[in-house]
Amino acid sequence: MNQNKMDIPEIEPLPDGELEVITTHVNADFDALGSMLAISKLYPKAQMVFPGSQEQNLRNFFLQSTVYFFPFSKLKEEDFKRVKRLILVDTRQAGRIKPLEKILKNKDLQIHIYDHHPAAPGDLKGDLEVLAEVGSTSTLLTEILQAKEVNLTPEEATVMALGIHEDTGSLTFVTTTPRDYMAAAYLLARGADLNLVSEMMTHELTSEQVSLLNELINSIRKHNIYGIDIILTHAATDHYVGDFAVLVHKLIDMENVKVLFAMAQMEDHIYLVARSRVPEIDVAEIARYFGGGGHASAASASIKNQTLTQVEDSLLALLKANVEPLRKARDIMSFPVISISPEGTLEEARQMFTRYDINVLLVQEDDGPLLGYISQQNVSKALHHGLARVPISEFMTSEFKTIGLGASFPEIIRLVAEQKQRIIPVVEDDKPIGVITRTDLLTILASETNVPGSLVADDGSLPARHIKKIGNLLRERLPDQIIDLLTEFGLTADRLGFSAYAVGGFIRDLFIRQENLDIDIVVEGDGIEFAKVFAQEHPGVRTRYHRKFNSAVLIFEDGFKVDIATARLEYYESPAALPVVRTGSLRMDLYRRDFTVNTLAVKLNKRQFGLLIDYFRGVRDIKQGNITVLHNLSFVEDPTRVFRAIRFEQRFGFRIGKLTSNLIQNAVKHDFFDRLSGNRIFGELKLILQEDDPAPATKRLADFDLLKCIHSGLTYNKTKVDLFGRIRKVRDWYELTYLGEEYQSWIIYFLGLMNGLKRDDLDSISNRLILNRRDRHVLIEGKVELDRIMGTLHRGKHSSAGKLYRLLKPLTTEAILFLMAKTTRENTRQAISTYFIKLKKTRTEITGKDLISMGFTPGPDFKKILDRLLEARLDGRVNTRTEEKEFIKRTYLSKVN
């Protein structure tokens, strides 16, 4: 029953042995603390238990005041089932009392609720409910204690006063009521310390908090959603920084904001704090979606295992769903249309639902008329009855209504609500060009650029929150001929009515100040047609194209290449599978990429040349040195991204964030790498070993337990750390000494990584990585030969230069350098150095032609003669051409004569 403040029944005590617990929401604040202390006066035998962490400000207060001595408890696991009464204050949401939520399953449990939050879906129902929409729960409980004439100590009054002041902004928030003023006055009369309240409400910011506040200010982006200005901002740090809500309040005061959603990624959580001063936006409704809560004007949530990109996308979707929109169907429809043939089977429909993560499919024959639609629910029921091979046409809904591009949002809502239609096709000339679904409406509204070209508004402008001009940066850091080429791409796009963008690592490296002329172009339109037209207009340029991927390559006369791709979306049929491609828009194309730092795009069309488009905060992560995935299934869909994350982290001196690190650990835990083909793993491993210094990245592979996806016995221990260090020194020595002589350093590191493994292990690795014949020889047969030669070198059986030459000459440069790095004996290293510096390029002056002129008959003996002559020259027994002739005459012709 609902009780007002003066009608509180007597609370019956529980029988002896039965446990009662007072608790509140996670991330408890002062209002939660004050409410717990107040309600303990009415339930003197109840244990006060925090369900989880408390706000930093509250923790500091515990250390600074006598509240430390209040009787808070920790509930043991065995006590959970003994709880017969649960008293909730400042919340009535089950999800906000974890891990105490399990108590709710207890049989015959009494639930008593004292709360000031407005009713919300999923609220618990209590046997006793004391509810009032006042500024704080401490206000409500102050009224109860006053009515019951319960005495309060000054310390208790102070804590309850802190609760009122915190939740009402010191009695200034629009949610403040006259009752809050009266309750605060009563607590002041009972000895509440206003000096302490003031100190706790206005404490100075730490350097970390100032830094976080500065980032919030610099990250502000204004969204005008159906006429209402809404500010979104974000910050990120690898560790927890307390009092985020305090920073948000300061930001509101500084910027005079009416609606604000602030997000902070700390470790693997994203903390959301929302404030609204307009009645059109209920921030509590938004926060509840993320498992949080609050009031219409103030709310918060703690979100785990999502990226800032995901949270912001969801946030925008929810805002558009909760603000009365004025848009038309053309603005909110989703495309491309995903349809299935009427002859397709129900099992094929099920696969498409999973593939595209949708709930309804249109039914049409190729580009023919629309025949109907079928829902996931109906398909699931049919499959349950064993109808997997039955044609779609037998179960599709063939009676439906369509709308045109100009249909208003209220019309769409009425059609969905009144006609009970699961999908609304948007048609033009009787053909579907887009869809609006009932269940996906929020997602559709979240997308601002689903239609090719819709990135550009009617006036030719771009959304300011995503762009800035970097034309000068391009001209500063790129050669003139590259600028001219990018300009030509833009002009070709203009002539075709397409939008063209330079994307990915090429743009990323402009900000990192690394040279990169590996240009990738994405076209909103037809990439193949774009490439063909460009080649036709520029003599000497050839093109190759791949119809399957709607992509092409432009090949210039000097061999320079540029990749051209059609903006596309991808889906993965299973974890670690190769992607399947469909046409999409620029935002979809960028969203399919691996990390935020690789999602930057620069528009090339003449009118907007040099506009940087940054949907996913790539520039921020570049500046802060973060490697951040775009969504939390990224490593499930493509586990090779883990190797790239590690490679980028070490190459750029960045760091993998806490959330991304957790997602990597989850991918390893669930063995998604076992589903990768060996050649994909080998390809990524080669790229890591090709880095200037692959040692740090290899260590990270070991830290994440990723080497086991190659072989369970593969390790990176101290011995290999030292070996990798020696390999780098040897490689640097060789490059300085033999500048311009080609070799592949990754092979040396690969031999180093495999060092110490037995023949059976090497065979297993070779099979796992699907090595070609050459690489297999290097790893296995070559490894055995290297071990033999190393033994010979260590035993000193190369006393002459000629013998040393014969020993090392058959080996590749990479194999010899590995031996030089592996040995710890200076005399062996010196011998190999001598081979490179003095022996390797030594040649005889006598050639085969000279032997013929001397009377020898050409044949297999020529090589034996010349090899023996070379050995004599290497040993210093001959030094001139004349001495070489005399050696041959003396050694071979004398025997003939």
Side-chain angles (χ1 to χ4, degrees), residues 775-827:
D775 293 333
R776 183 179 178 88
H777 175 78
V778 169
L779 177 61
I780 301 177
E781 288 81 3
K783 176 69 166 54
V784 174
E785 180 66 7
L786 288 179
D787 290 343
R788 182 190 68 78
I789 291 173
M790 181 65 84
T792 301
L793 289 170
H794 283 175
R795 289 191 297 273
K797 294 184 177 181
H798 56 279
S799 54
S800 71
K803 289 181 180 179
L804 178 63
Y805 181 90
R806 283 203 312 273
L807 186 66
L808 298 180
K809 177 62 177 176
L811 301 180
T812 64
T813 299
E814 293 88 355
I816 300 172
L817 289 174
F818 172 68
L819 288 177
M820 192 175 184
K822 182 177 179 181
T823 184
T824 56
R825 301 187 182 185
E826 185 58 35
N827 61 335

Side-chain angles (χ1 to χ4, degrees), residues 339-343 363-371:
S339 61
I340 189 169
S341 167
E343 288 78 30
V363 182
Q364 66 177 139
E365 194 71 67
D366 295 329
D367 291 329
L370 185 60
L371 302 176

Side-chain angles (χ1 to χ4, degrees), residues 642-643 646 664 668 673 701-702 704-710:
V642 171
F643 294 89
I646 291 172
I664 292 175
V668 173
F673 300 91
L701 290 176
F704 283 114
D705 210 15
L706 284 165
L707 293 177
K708 76 173 186 181
C709 75
I710 301 173

Side-chain angles (χ1 to χ4, degrees), residues 805 838-844 870 873-874:
Y805 181 90
K838 296 181 178 180
L839 308 182
K840 184 178 180 181
K841 292 186 177 180
T842 301
R843 298 290 183 270
T844 61
L870 177 61
R873 191 174 184 96
L874 290 168

Side-chain angles (χ1 to χ4, degrees), residues 100 123 150 250 265 369 568 654 714 719 777 807 845:
L100 302 184
D123 280 348
V150 175
K250 288 188 177 295
Q265 183 165 340
R568 65 187 192 259
F654 285 8
L714 194 58
T719 300
H777 175 78
L807 186 66
E845 294 186 43

Side-chain angles (χ1 to χ4, degrees), residues 613-886:
I613 300 161
D614 182 11
Y615 289 117
F616 307 109
R617 294 171 290 275
V619 171
R620 182 210 66 178
D621 280 342
I622 288 173
K623 289 180 178 178
Q624 295 184 351
N626 295 326
I627 299 295
T628 306
V629 291
L630 287 160
H631 57 89
N632 53 353
L633 291 179
S634 184
F635 298 135
V636 176
E637 293 178 345
D638 184 2
T640 61
R641 289 171 175 165
V642 171
F643 294 89
R644 293 199 291 279
I646 291 172
R647 179 158 50 89
F648 290 153
E649 178 190 49
Q650 299 305 317
R651 178 194 295 177
F652 302 134
F654 285 8
R655 62 183 179 277
I656 295 173
K658 180 70 173 179
L659 172 61
T660 304
S661 177
N662 287 347
L663 295 175
I664 292 175
Q665 292 169 3
N666 289 339
V668 173
K669 176 182 176 181
H670 293 288
D671 295 327
F672 290 128
F673 300 91
D674 289 347
R675 308 175 194 181
L676 283 174
S677 64
N679 53 17
R680 291 185 73 192
I681 292 178
F682 187 45
E684 293 295 336
L685 181 61
K686 281 176 65 174
L687 289 172
I688 286 177
L689 297 179
Q690 285 170 357
E691 292 291 309
D692 181 60
D693 181 11
T698 306
K699 181 180 183 302
R700 290 291 268 163
L701 290 176
D703 291 343
F704 283 114
D705 210 15
L706 284 165
L707 293 177
K708 76 173 186 181
C709 75
I710 301 173
H711 188 270
S712 59
L714 194 58
T715 61
Y716 188 68
N717 51 26
K718 186 179 185 305
T719 300
K720 288 185 181 176
V721 170
D722 295 340
L723 178 56
F724 268 49
R726 294 197 299 274
I727 289 175
R728 187 177 188 187
K729 289 180 180 178
V730 166
R731 184 203 65 185
D732 292 346
W733 168 83
Y734 183 79
E735 289 181 352
L736 288 172
T737 308
Y738 292 89
L739 188 64
E741 187 166 336
E742 292 185 1
Y743 75 107
Q744 297 185 72
S745 64
W746 75 264
I747 295 177
I748 312 173
Y749 285 107
F750 187 60
L751 289 169
L753 186 60
M754 303 299 154
N755 189 52
L757 295 177
K758 297 180 180 179
R759 173 64 184 259
D760 290 345
D761 295 329
L762 297 177
D763 278 323
S764 176
I765 290 173
S766 175
N767 294 333
R768 171 69 178 108
L769 299 182
I770 318 178
L771 299 184
N772 59 34
R773 183 178 299 177
R774 178 187 182 282
D775 293 333
R776 183 179 178 88
H777 175 78
V778 169
L779 177 61
I780 301 177
E781 288 81 3
K783 176 69 166 54
V784 174
E785 180 66 7
L786 288 179
D787 290 343
R788 182 190 68 78
I789 291 173
M790 181 65 84
T792 301
L793 289 170
H794 283 175
R795 289 191 297 273
K797 294 184 177 181
H798 56 279
S799 54
S800 71
K803 289 181 180 179
L804 178 63
Y805 181 90
R806 283 203 312 273
L807 186 66
L808 298 180
K809 177 62 177 176
L811 301 180
T812 64
T813 299
E814 293 88 355
I816 300 172
L817 289 174
F818 172 68
L819 288 177
M820 192 175 184
K822 182 177 179 181
T823 184
T824 56
R825 301 187 182 185
E826 185 58 35
N827 61 335
T828 301
R829 188 179 297 110
Q830 188 61 46
I832 297 174
S833 173
T834 300
Y835 168 79
F836 277 121
I837 295 173
K838 296 181 178 180
L839 308 182
K840 184 178 180 181
K841 292 186 177 180
T842 301
R843 298 290 183 270
T844 61
E845 294 186 43
I846 296 295
T847 65
K849 289 182 180 181
D850 296 317
L851 292 179
I852 293 173
S853 67
M854 294 173 68
F856 288 92
T857 301
D861 286 341
F862 267 35
K863 185 177 185 308
K864 294 179 181 178
I865 294 171
L866 292 174
D867 284 348
R868 189 168 179 183
L869 176 62
L870 177 61
E871 185 175 336
R873 191 174 184 96
L874 290 168
D875 289 340
R877 286 177 282 148
V878 298
N879 297 293
T880 66
R881 179 181 176 85
T882 301
E883 289 177 351
E884 285 184 1
K885 278 191 173 184
E886 291 299 323

